[in-house]
Amino acid sequence: MKVMFEQIKHNMETIEGVAIYPILSLLIFFVFFVGLGLWVFSYKKETINELSQIPLRDNQIV
């Protein structure tokens, strides 16, 4: 296992500009979850209440 990790590490070190990929993945992850949080908190309370009642309705086609 250790030999495999060292081989991968050596291969990654020889690639020029590889350091940008962890930064980009962290940025994409952060932007996605901040955007998701803003989207969730921007919902109106009336809309959330209406959506939460959908499973409780009887004999209604949605």
Side-chain angles (χ1 to χ4, degrees):
M1 178 82 169
K2 185 176 179 181
V3 174
M4 190 170 116
F5 178 71
E6 289 174 1
Q7 183 180 5
I8 293 171
K9 183 179 174 186
H10 173 70
N11 288 341
M12 295 301 274
E13 288 174 347
T14 60
I15 299 173
E16 201 166 312
V18 76
I20 193 73
Y21 292 111
I23 296 168
L24 282 176
S25 15
L26 178 65
L27 185 64
I28 291 169
F29 178 82
F30 183 75
V31 167
F32 175 77
F33 281 101
V34 167
L36 189 66
L38 291 174
W39 179 60
V40 167
F41 285 113
S42 69
Y43 259 49
K44 294 181 181 172
K45 188 168 179 132
E46 296 83 27
T47 307
I48 294 173
N49 287 336
E50 182 182 332
L51 293 174
S52 70
Q53 294 301 316
I54 290 174
L56 303 176
R57 295 180 189 161
D58 290 334
N59 301 326
Q60 288 188 358
I61 297 174
V62 179

